[in-house]
mmCIF file of all heavy atoms in Angstrom:
data_model
loop_
_atom_site.group_PDB
_atom_site.id
_atom_site.type_symbol
_atom_site.label_atom_id
_atom_site.label_comp_id
_atom_site.label_asym_id
_atom_site.label_seq_id
_atom_site.Cartn_x
_atom_site.Cartn_y
_atom_site.Cartn_z
ATOM 1 N N VAL R 152 0.842 -1.205 0.023
ATOM 2 C CA VAL R 152 -0.020 0.001 0.014
ATOM 3 C C VAL R 152 0.903 1.239 -0.019
ATOM 4 O O VAL R 152 1.693 1.468 0.914
ATOM 5 C CB VAL R 152 -0.949 0.006 1.203
ATOM 6 C CG1 VAL R 152 -1.805 1.266 1.217
ATOM 7 C CG2 VAL R 152 -1.808 -1.237 1.215
ATOM 8 N N GLN R 153 0.772 2.040 -1.056
ATOM 9 C CA GLN R 153 1.620 3.260 -1.129
ATOM 10 C C GLN R 153 1.027 4.464 -0.550
ATOM 11 O O GLN R 153 1.740 5.363 -0.114
ATOM 12 C CB GLN R 153 1.925 3.463 -2.609
ATOM 13 C CG GLN R 153 2.753 2.323 -3.237
ATOM 14 C CD GLN R 153 2.914 2.444 -4.715
ATOM 15 O OE1 GLN R 153 2.038 2.855 -5.472
ATOM 16 N NE2 GLN R 153 4.013 1.999 -5.218
ATOM 17 N N SER R 154 -0.311 4.512 -0.477
ATOM 18 C CA SER R 154 -1.004 5.612 0.175
ATOM 19 C C SER R 154 -2.422 5.179 0.537
ATOM 20 O O SER R 154 -2.991 4.317 -0.022
ATOM 21 C CB SER R 154 -1.049 6.859 -0.663
ATOM 22 O OG SER R 154 -1.912 6.707 -1.754
ATOM 23 N N LEU R 155 -2.974 5.774 1.587
ATOM 24 C CA LEU R 155 -4.295 5.506 2.104
ATOM 25 C C LEU R 155 -4.900 6.797 2.573
ATOM 26 O O LEU R 155 -4.293 7.567 3.299
ATOM 27 C CB LEU R 155 -4.237 4.536 3.221
ATOM 28 C CG LEU R 155 -5.614 4.135 3.794
ATOM 29 C CD1 LEU R 155 -6.467 3.387 2.793
ATOM 30 C CD2 LEU R 155 -5.375 3.266 5.043
ATOM 31 N N THR R 156 -6.132 7.094 2.087
ATOM 32 C CA THR R 156 -6.773 8.333 2.400
ATOM 33 C C THR R 156 -8.283 8.042 2.709
ATOM 34 O O THR R 156 -8.916 7.212 2.082
ATOM 35 C CB THR R 156 -6.808 9.286 1.162
ATOM 36 O OG1 THR R 156 -5.470 9.512 0.761
ATOM 37 C CG2 THR R 156 -7.389 10.637 1.511
ATOM 38 N N HIS R 157 -8.760 8.667 3.728
ATOM 39 C CA HIS R 157 -10.234 8.661 3.984
ATOM 40 C C HIS R 157 -10.776 10.013 3.550
ATOM 41 O O HIS R 157 -10.193 11.039 3.736
ATOM 42 C CB HIS R 157 -10.572 8.309 5.393
ATOM 43 C CG HIS R 157 -9.905 9.187 6.422
ATOM 44 N ND1 HIS R 157 -10.486 10.385 6.881
ATOM 45 C CD2 HIS R 157 -8.753 9.028 7.080
ATOM 46 C CE1 HIS R 157 -9.682 10.919 7.796
ATOM 47 N NE2 HIS R 157 -8.589 10.117 7.904
ATOM 48 N N LEU R 158 -11.987 9.961 2.962
ATOM 49 C CA LEU R 158 -12.478 11.181 2.304
ATOM 50 C C LEU R 158 -13.363 12.081 3.171
ATOM 51 O O LEU R 158 -13.836 13.105 2.786
ATOM 52 C CB LEU R 158 -13.224 10.755 1.043
ATOM 53 C CG LEU R 158 -12.451 10.051 0.049
ATOM 54 C CD1 LEU R 158 -13.230 9.716 -1.230
ATOM 55 C CD2 LEU R 158 -11.116 10.797 -0.381
ATOM 56 N N ILE R 159 -13.637 11.608 4.412
ATOM 57 C CA ILE R 159 -14.376 12.403 5.466
ATOM 58 C C ILE R 159 -13.457 12.479 6.649
ATOM 59 O O ILE R 159 -13.133 11.498 7.244
ATOM 60 C CB ILE R 159 -15.768 11.791 5.718
ATOM 61 C CG1 ILE R 159 -16.602 11.673 4.484
ATOM 62 C CG2 ILE R 159 -16.450 12.590 6.837
ATOM 63 C CD1 ILE R 159 -17.969 10.969 4.777
ATOM 64 N N GLU R 160 -13.103 13.712 6.948
ATOM 65 C CA GLU R 160 -12.155 13.932 8.052
ATOM 66 C C GLU R 160 -12.664 13.515 9.432
ATOM 67 O O GLU R 160 -12.092 12.848 10.216
ATOM 68 C CB GLU R 160 -11.682 15.416 8.116
ATOM 69 C CG GLU R 160 -10.581 15.673 9.069
ATOM 70 C CD GLU R 160 -9.326 14.942 8.746
ATOM 71 O OE1 GLU R 160 -9.004 14.744 7.542
ATOM 72 O OE2 GLU R 160 -8.594 14.482 9.689
ATOM 73 N N ARG R 161 -13.929 13.945 9.791
ATOM 74 C CA ARG R 161 -14.494 13.584 11.071
ATOM 75 C C ARG R 161 -15.887 13.125 10.894
ATOM 76 O O ARG R 161 -16.880 13.846 11.112
ATOM 77 C CB ARG R 161 -14.465 14.892 11.977
ATOM 78 C CG ARG R 161 -13.110 15.370 12.295
ATOM 79 C CD ARG R 161 -13.171 16.607 13.183
ATOM 80 N NE ARG R 161 -11.895 17.219 13.282
ATOM 81 C CZ ARG R 161 -11.090 17.066 14.275
ATOM 82 N NH1 ARG R 161 -11.356 16.347 15.265
ATOM 83 N NH2 ARG R 161 -9.898 17.701 14.277
ATOM 84 N N PRO R 162 -16.066 11.822 10.518
ATOM 85 C CA PRO R 162 -17.369 11.325 10.256
ATOM 86 C C PRO R 162 -18.203 11.172 11.578
ATOM 87 O O PRO R 162 -17.710 10.960 12.643
ATOM 88 C CB PRO R 162 -17.135 9.988 9.668
ATOM 89 C CG PRO R 162 -15.747 9.559 10.253
ATOM 90 C CD PRO R 162 -15.045 10.856 10.359
ATOM 91 N N THR R 163 -19.518 11.330 11.379
ATOM 92 C CA THR R 163 -20.392 11.022 12.505
ATOM 93 C C THR R 163 -20.731 9.539 12.410
ATOM 94 O O THR R 163 -20.378 8.880 11.474
ATOM 95 C CB THR R 163 -21.709 11.837 12.326
ATOM 96 O OG1 THR R 163 -22.394 11.395 11.188
ATOM 97 C CG2 THR R 163 -21.455 13.351 12.282
ATOM 98 N N SER R 164 -21.384 8.997 13.432
ATOM 99 C CA SER R 164 -21.649 7.570 13.491
ATOM 100 C C SER R 164 -22.665 7.173 12.384
ATOM 101 O O SER R 164 -22.771 6.045 12.024
ATOM 102 C CB SER R 164 -22.209 7.146 14.879
ATOM 103 O OG SER R 164 -23.428 7.834 15.122
ATOM 104 N N SER R 165 -23.391 8.128 11.846
ATOM 105 C CA SER R 165 -24.330 7.836 10.713
ATOM 106 C C SER R 165 -23.735 8.021 9.440
ATOM 107 O O SER R 165 -24.475 7.840 8.361
ATOM 108 C CB SER R 165 -25.546 8.697 10.947
ATOM 109 O OG SER R 165 -25.271 10.086 10.752
ATOM 110 N N GLN R 166 -22.493 8.382 9.279
ATOM 111 C CA GLN R 166 -21.884 8.581 7.915
ATOM 112 C C GLN R 166 -20.966 7.372 7.561
ATOM 113 O O GLN R 166 -20.134 6.952 8.350
ATOM 114 C CB GLN R 166 -20.935 9.830 7.932
ATOM 115 C CG GLN R 166 -21.730 11.154 7.927
ATOM 116 C CD GLN R 166 -20.753 12.295 7.873
ATOM 117 O OE1 GLN R 166 -20.022 12.471 8.822
ATOM 118 N NE2 GLN R 166 -20.752 13.063 6.824
ATOM 119 N N SER R 167 -21.159 6.878 6.322
ATOM 120 C CA SER R 167 -20.194 6.018 5.768
ATOM 121 C C SER R 167 -18.915 6.784 5.347
ATOM 122 O O SER R 167 -18.974 7.961 5.005
ATOM 123 C CB SER R 167 -20.768 5.268 4.477
ATOM 124 O OG SER R 167 -21.890 4.546 4.894
ATOM 125 N N VAL R 168 -17.784 6.099 5.361
ATOM 126 C CA VAL R 168 -16.500 6.773 5.094
ATOM 127 C C VAL R 168 -15.832 6.136 3.847
ATOM 128 O O VAL R 168 -15.436 5.033 3.901
ATOM 129 C CB VAL R 168 -15.556 6.659 6.304
ATOM 130 C CG1 VAL R 168 -14.233 7.394 5.976
ATOM 131 C CG2 VAL R 168 -16.192 7.302 7.554
ATOM 132 N N PRO R 169 -15.768 6.875 2.725
ATOM 133 C CA PRO R 169 -15.062 6.402 1.632
ATOM 134 C C PRO R 169 -13.550 6.377 1.826
ATOM 135 O O PRO R 169 -13.082 7.319 2.457
ATOM 136 C CB PRO R 169 -15.429 7.439 0.522
ATOM 137 C CG PRO R 169 -16.620 8.182 0.979
ATOM 138 C CD PRO R 169 -16.484 8.164 2.486
ATOM 139 N N ILE R 170 -12.929 5.312 1.431
ATOM 140 C CA ILE R 170 -11.475 5.079 1.588
ATOM 141 C C ILE R 170 -10.912 4.891 0.187
ATOM 142 O O ILE R 170 -11.435 4.195 -0.665
ATOM 143 C CB ILE R 170 -11.236 3.817 2.407
ATOM 144 C CG1 ILE R 170 -11.853 3.915 3.759
ATOM 145 C CG2 ILE R 170 -9.759 3.475 2.544
ATOM 146 C CD1 ILE R 170 -11.266 4.895 4.710
ATOM 147 N N VAL R 171 -9.733 5.498 -0.023
ATOM 148 C CA VAL R 171 -8.997 5.329 -1.301
ATOM 149 C C VAL R 171 -7.561 4.892 -0.963
ATOM 150 O O VAL R 171 -6.910 5.548 -0.067
ATOM 151 C CB VAL R 171 -8.990 6.639 -2.104
ATOM 152 C CG1 VAL R 171 -8.199 6.454 -3.380
ATOM 153 C CG2 VAL R 171 -10.388 7.077 -2.476
ATOM 154 N N ALA R 172 -7.087 3.878 -1.656
ATOM 155 C CA ALA R 172 -5.679 3.418 -1.413
ATOM 156 C C ALA R 172 -5.043 3.127 -2.795
ATOM 157 O O ALA R 172 -5.667 2.639 -3.667
ATOM 158 C CB ALA R 172 -5.711 2.051 -0.640
ATOM 159 N N THR R 173 -3.748 3.598 -2.884
ATOM 160 C CA THR R 173 -2.987 3.304 -4.045
ATOM 161 C C THR R 173 -2.174 2.091 -3.684
ATOM 162 O O THR R 173 -1.385 2.071 -2.664
ATOM 163 C CB THR R 173 -2.040 4.483 -4.425
ATOM 164 O OG1 THR R 173 -2.848 5.668 -4.611
ATOM 165 C CG2 THR R 173 -1.193 4.214 -5.619
ATOM 166 N N VAL R 174 -2.248 0.990 -4.478
ATOM 167 C CA VAL R 174 -1.621 -0.249 -4.209
ATOM 168 C C VAL R 174 -0.711 -0.630 -5.383
ATOM 169 O O VAL R 174 -1.106 -0.477 -6.519
ATOM 170 C CB VAL R 174 -2.752 -1.332 -4.063
ATOM 171 C CG1 VAL R 174 -2.147 -2.676 -3.747
ATOM 172 C CG2 VAL R 174 -3.674 -0.983 -2.887
ATOM 173 N N GLN R 175 0.489 -1.051 -5.002
ATOM 174 C CA GLN R 175 1.433 -1.476 -6.037
ATOM 175 C C GLN R 175 0.867 -2.638 -6.796
ATOM 176 O O GLN R 175 0.510 -3.649 -6.196
ATOM 177 C CB GLN R 175 2.776 -1.883 -5.404
ATOM 178 C CG GLN R 175 3.826 -2.220 -6.465
ATOM 179 C CD GLN R 175 5.173 -2.474 -5.769
ATOM 180 O OE1 GLN R 175 5.435 -1.967 -4.716
ATOM 181 N NE2 GLN R 175 5.947 -3.276 -6.450
ATOM 182 N N SER R 176 0.615 -2.553 -8.086
ATOM 183 C CA SER R 176 -0.081 -3.466 -8.818
ATOM 184 C C SER R 176 0.701 -4.599 -9.465
ATOM 185 O O SER R 176 0.117 -5.563 -10.017
ATOM 186 C CB SER R 176 -0.895 -2.723 -9.965
ATOM 187 O OG SER R 176 0.066 -2.068 -10.863
ATOM 188 N N ASP R 177 2.017 -4.625 -9.338
ATOM 189 C CA ASP R 177 2.817 -5.668 -9.925
ATOM 190 C C ASP R 177 2.937 -6.896 -9.051
ATOM 191 O O ASP R 177 3.717 -7.828 -9.359
ATOM 192 C CB ASP R 177 4.131 -5.169 -10.417
ATOM 193 C CG ASP R 177 4.986 -4.685 -9.274
ATOM 194 O OD1 ASP R 177 4.471 -4.585 -8.107
ATOM 195 O OD2 ASP R 177 6.145 -4.412 -9.459
ATOM 196 N N THR R 178 2.189 -6.993 -7.972
ATOM 197 C CA THR R 178 2.300 -8.090 -7.033
ATOM 198 C C THR R 178 1.284 -9.203 -7.385
ATOM 199 O O THR R 178 1.201 -10.203 -6.714
ATOM 200 C CB THR R 178 2.041 -7.682 -5.579
ATOM 201 O OG1 THR R 178 0.799 -7.053 -5.482
ATOM 202 C CG2 THR R 178 3.090 -6.714 -5.167
ATOM 203 N N GLY R 179 0.483 -9.017 -8.435
ATOM 204 C CA GLY R 179 -0.492 -9.975 -8.839
ATOM 205 C C GLY R 179 -1.685 -10.188 -7.902
ATOM 206 O O GLY R 179 -2.275 -11.271 -7.790
ATOM 207 N N ILE R 180 -2.029 -9.127 -7.204
ATOM 208 C CA ILE R 180 -3.141 -9.192 -6.205
ATOM 209 C C ILE R 180 -4.443 -9.322 -6.980
ATOM 210 O O ILE R 180 -4.653 -8.836 -8.073
ATOM 211 C CB ILE R 180 -3.138 -7.986 -5.318
ATOM 212 C CG1 ILE R 180 -3.256 -6.704 -6.058
ATOM 213 C CG2 ILE R 180 -1.946 -7.987 -4.387
ATOM 214 C CD1 ILE R 180 -3.549 -5.496 -5.250
ATOM 215 N N SER R 181 -5.420 -10.001 -6.311
ATOM 216 C CA SER R 181 -6.737 -10.044 -6.836
ATOM 217 C C SER R 181 -7.811 -9.596 -5.863
ATOM 218 O O SER R 181 -8.978 -9.428 -6.243
ATOM 219 C CB SER R 181 -7.028 -11.510 -7.255
ATOM 220 O OG SER R 181 -6.971 -12.367 -6.057
ATOM 221 N N LEU R 182 -7.342 -9.283 -4.679
ATOM 222 C CA LEU R 182 -8.327 -8.834 -3.580
ATOM 223 C C LEU R 182 -7.659 -7.846 -2.709
ATOM 224 O O LEU R 182 -6.552 -8.037 -2.219
ATOM 225 C CB LEU R 182 -8.723 -10.034 -2.754
ATOM 226 C CG LEU R 182 -9.655 -9.769 -1.509
ATOM 227 C CD1 LEU R 182 -11.030 -9.257 -2.034
ATOM 228 C CD2 LEU R 182 -9.758 -10.989 -0.723
ATOM 229 N N VAL R 183 -8.320 -6.697 -2.505
ATOM 230 C CA VAL R 183 -7.907 -5.683 -1.622
ATOM 231 C C VAL R 183 -9.071 -5.412 -0.634
ATOM 232 O O VAL R 183 -10.167 -5.247 -1.107
ATOM 233 C CB VAL R 183 -7.425 -4.350 -2.340
ATOM 234 C CG1 VAL R 183 -7.104 -3.278 -1.312
ATOM 235 C CG2 VAL R 183 -6.235 -4.598 -3.242
ATOM 236 N N GLU R 184 -8.722 -5.382 0.655
ATOM 237 C CA GLU R 184 -9.751 -5.077 1.658
ATOM 238 C C GLU R 184 -9.171 -4.089 2.664
ATOM 239 O O GLU R 184 -7.970 -4.013 2.823
ATOM 240 C CB GLU R 184 -10.120 -6.372 2.413
ATOM 241 C CG GLU R 184 -10.730 -7.460 1.614
ATOM 242 C CD GLU R 184 -10.912 -8.727 2.410
ATOM 243 O OE1 GLU R 184 -10.021 -9.123 3.255
ATOM 244 O OE2 GLU R 184 -11.965 -9.329 2.118
ATOM 245 N N VAL R 185 -10.041 -3.333 3.247
ATOM 246 C CA VAL R 185 -9.667 -2.481 4.355
ATOM 247 C C VAL R 185 -10.214 -3.140 5.693
ATOM 248 O O VAL R 185 -11.329 -3.592 5.686
ATOM 249 C CB VAL R 185 -10.180 -1.005 4.201
ATOM 250 C CG1 VAL R 185 -11.645 -0.911 4.112
ATOM 251 C CG2 VAL R 185 -9.622 -0.058 5.320
ATOM 252 N N ARG R 186 -9.420 -3.152 6.680
ATOM 253 C CA ARG R 186 -9.847 -3.700 8.023
ATOM 254 C C ARG R 186 -9.978 -2.474 8.915
ATOM 255 O O ARG R 186 -9.117 -1.591 8.905
ATOM 256 C CB ARG R 186 -8.820 -4.654 8.549
ATOM 257 C CG ARG R 186 -8.777 -5.938 7.728
ATOM 258 C CD ARG R 186 -7.828 -6.930 8.309
ATOM 259 N NE ARG R 186 -8.228 -7.199 9.673
ATOM 260 C CZ ARG R 186 -8.648 -8.331 10.140
ATOM 261 N NH1 ARG R 186 -8.706 -9.385 9.300
ATOM 262 N NH2 ARG R 186 -8.982 -8.512 11.373
ATOM 263 N N TYR R 187 -11.086 -2.477 9.646
ATOM 264 C CA TYR R 187 -11.389 -1.260 10.464
ATOM 265 C C TYR R 187 -12.061 -1.699 11.748
ATOM 266 O O TYR R 187 -12.617 -2.801 11.875
ATOM 267 C CB TYR R 187 -12.280 -0.249 9.755
ATOM 268 C CG TYR R 187 -13.631 -0.812 9.382
ATOM 269 C CD1 TYR R 187 -14.682 -0.599 10.188
ATOM 270 C CD2 TYR R 187 -13.819 -1.634 8.259
ATOM 271 C CE1 TYR R 187 -15.926 -1.170 9.968
ATOM 272 C CE2 TYR R 187 -15.055 -2.116 7.974
ATOM 273 C CZ TYR R 187 -16.114 -1.960 8.777
ATOM 274 O OH TYR R 187 -17.287 -2.487 8.521
ATOM 275 N N SER R 188 -11.992 -0.773 12.714
ATOM 276 C CA SER R 188 -12.714 -1.028 13.980
ATOM 277 C C SER R 188 -13.259 0.323 14.453
ATOM 278 O O SER R 188 -12.553 1.410 14.315
ATOM 279 C CB SER R 188 -11.725 -1.542 15.058
ATOM 280 O OG SER R 188 -12.460 -1.602 16.321
ATOM 281 N N THR R 189 -14.514 0.306 14.890
ATOM 282 C CA THR R 189 -15.044 1.561 15.431
ATOM 283 C C THR R 189 -14.832 1.723 16.915
ATOM 284 O O THR R 189 -15.152 2.757 17.513
ATOM 285 C CB THR R 189 -16.598 1.633 15.119
ATOM 286 O OG1 THR R 189 -17.195 0.458 15.642
ATOM 287 C CG2 THR R 189 -16.818 1.637 13.660
ATOM 288 N N ASP R 190 -14.365 0.678 17.507
ATOM 289 C CA ASP R 190 -14.047 0.649 18.939
ATOM 290 C C ASP R 190 -12.898 -0.283 19.137
ATOM 291 O O ASP R 190 -12.883 -1.445 18.858
ATOM 292 C CB ASP R 190 -15.261 0.135 19.678
ATOM 293 C CG ASP R 190 -15.083 0.023 21.197
ATOM 294 O OD1 ASP R 190 -13.915 0.178 21.688
ATOM 295 O OD2 ASP R 190 -16.043 -0.261 21.840
ATOM 296 N N LEU R 191 -11.743 0.255 19.591
ATOM 297 C CA LEU R 191 -10.510 -0.545 19.630
ATOM 298 C C LEU R 191 -10.545 -1.683 20.595
ATOM 299 O O LEU R 191 -9.607 -2.478 20.717
ATOM 300 C CB LEU R 191 -9.305 0.381 19.945
ATOM 301 C CG LEU R 191 -9.020 1.432 18.814
ATOM 302 C CD1 LEU R 191 -7.844 2.321 19.207
ATOM 303 C CD2 LEU R 191 -8.754 0.691 17.461
ATOM 304 N N SER R 192 -11.630 -1.819 21.337
ATOM 305 C CA SER R 192 -11.764 -2.965 22.259
ATOM 306 C C SER R 192 -12.474 -4.154 21.571
ATOM 307 O O SER R 192 -12.616 -5.191 22.253
ATOM 308 C CB SER R 192 -12.512 -2.568 23.538
ATOM 309 O OG SER R 192 -13.857 -2.168 23.266
#
C-alpha cells in the first residue's frame, strides 16, 4: 500500500466513510480489503 486516504475527516456515526488506497499493482493481487474497527476494544 503506497498511500491511504479517507474522504471524510471527522465522520459522524451515521456517515459511511469512503477510503482510497494506491496499491502497487505488480504483485499479482486479486483482492484488496480495508480492516477497520469503530471501537478498539
Side-chain angles (χ1 to χ4, degrees):
V152 177
Q153 296 171 323
S154 68
L155 178 65
T156 306
H157 52 88
L158 302 180
I159 299 176
E160 188 63 34
R161 296 179 193 262
T163 65
S164 63
S165 63
Q166 286 181 294
S167 297
V168 180
I170 301 290
V171 177
T173 303
V174 178
Q175 185 174 333
S176 59
D177 63 351
T178 59
I180 58 168
S181 60
L182 174 68
V183 174
E184 297 174 321
V185 61
R186 294 184 56 116
Y187 64 93
S188 175
T189 57
D190 177 352
L191 295 179
S192 66

